[in-house]
Amino acid sequence: MSKLQLQYPLKYISINQSFGQNATDVYKKAGMPGHNGIDFYSTHGTPIYSAHDGWAQYQISGDRGQGVVVITDQEYEDENGKPSLWKTVYWHMVDFTREPQYKSPIADKTGFVKVKTGDLLGYADNTGNSTGSHLHFELKRVGGSFGLWYNLDQNNGYYGAINPKQYLPDRIVEEFKTIMKKGDENMEVQKLQALFLRIGRMQPITKGFGYYGPATALAVKNFQIDSGIKHNNGVQVGPLTLKALNKAYE
């Protein structure tokens, strides 16, 4: 039996809040010592994908939070070699009744449906108890039989949740290859911004994710200065900057 291995639920990764952190007192009020998952930065409408194979169900909480739960279709070992089924939770998805263009592919399915690693589950938003658009990602060990699963570690202080970090890839490998310049709007710029967010060179982006505007140019300029690269006020990411970005990405 193999150890559980998860994939990242988003294409580009930047973490707002890690497991166990207590950025607000909301967790203390809920009876937990800290955050019970990983909060990934994701703007409104960002696609969310399944981190593993399994059985998925769309759920809506009492506070109108919306998301998907996926249960593994077989047992995997934890870091101590203990086997179990596993559950991942993907929360704060778009309310598709208000924005049907962001409807989850499994939102109107009855019961649990089969999904594979990388299948689209829904789109990011801030439904429920949330202060802004992001993906709340949880991991729990579960027992029981199909449709009758229960948390194995319910009394661990986090209502069964454990840190997903050790089951995700050690690093994110995604090379920068394309020259970018001010005014561009594409996925390469989005990847650049996600890196700058992750390493603390940009503030959270409330709109224009993927657009190379003044804030991105300033971040590029400062990165070039710190990397000893000649800059032109950050209006372009050229070959030398791409090389430095790949080093920072590693």
Side-chain angles (χ1 to χ4, degrees):
M1 184 178 296
S2 59
K3 179 183 174 182
L4 177 70
Q5 293 182 318
L6 303 174
Q7 296 300 312
Y8 284 102
L10 300 172
K11 189 170 184 180
Y12 301 117
I13 301 301
S14 179
I15 296 175
N16 289 348
Q17 186 175 198
S18 299
F19 186 90
Q21 288 187 331
N22 197 12
T24 71
D25 65 352
V26 65
Y27 312 113
K28 184 177 180 180
K29 291 178 180 177
M32 296 183 293
H35 187 230
N36 61 333
I38 295 177
D39 281 350
F40 290 108
Y41 177 84
S42 52
T43 55
H44 176 79
T46 300
I48 298 168
Y49 307 97
S50 181
H52 56 87
D53 296 352
W55 295 96
Q57 184 183 58
Y58 197 88
Q59 298 184 357
I60 301 175
S61 62
D63 61 2
R64 298 301 298 172
Q66 301 192 28
V68 172
V69 170
V70 182
I71 312 291
T72 59
D73 53 6
Q74 66 183 76
E75 291 189 339
Y76 295 95
E77 294 179 349
D78 64 11
E79 73 279 11
N80 298 314
K82 185 184 298 183
S84 71
L85 296 170
W86 298 79
K87 172 171 66 177
T88 48
V89 179
Y90 312 74
W91 211 248
H92 304 308
M93 288 184 180
V94 173
D95 182 348
F96 65 89
T97 63
R98 296 182 178 181
E99 297 182 272
Q101 69 272 31
Y102 291 119
K103 185 177 181 180
S104 165
I106 61 174
D108 56 358
K109 301 293 192 299
T110 301
F112 286 83
V113 298
K114 200 74 168 63
V115 294
K116 303 291 288 184
T117 303
D119 281 356
L120 177 67
L121 298 179
Y123 302 89
D125 195 23
N126 64 342
T127 53
N129 188 9
S130 170
T131 57
S133 180
H134 69 282
L135 168 63
H136 174 82
F137 180 72
E138 282 183 37
L139 175 67
K140 298 182 178 183
R141 295 193 317 121
V142 298
S145 56
F146 186 89
L148 299 173
W149 299 289
Y150 58 88
N151 296 333
L152 290 175
D153 308 302
Q154 184 64 17
N155 298 319
N156 70 349
Y158 293 93
Y159 299 108
I162 62 175
N163 193 348
K165 182 179 179 181
Q166 59 191 311
Y167 301 103
L168 289 164
D170 290 336
R171 61 178 182 171
I172 307 157
V173 180
E174 185 72 36
E175 291 186 356
F176 290 89
K177 300 178 180 179
T178 305
I179 291 175
M180 292 167 272
K181 62 183 184 299
K182 193 173 181 180
D184 287 349
E185 186 172 9
N186 51 48
M187 296 298 287
E188 288 297 307
V189 175
Q190 187 176 118
K191 182 171 64 179
L192 171 68
Q193 293 168 333
L195 171 62
F196 281 163
L197 284 163
R198 188 166 70 249
I199 63 179
R201 289 186 170 273
M202 289 188 74
Q203 296 299 312
I205 301 169
T206 56
K207 60 181 180 179
F209 198 48
Y211 176 69
Y212 196 141
T216 302
L218 178 60
V220 169
K221 174 185 174 181
N222 290 333
F223 178 80
Q224 290 169 329
I225 291 173
D226 293 343
S227 302
I229 299 170
K230 186 177 179 180
H231 71 86
N232 184 18
N233 291 318
V235 299
Q236 179 170 296
V237 174
L240 291 178
T241 306
L242 290 173
K243 185 177 179 180
L245 287 170
N246 282 325
K247 185 177 180 180
Y249 217 100
E250 289 294 319

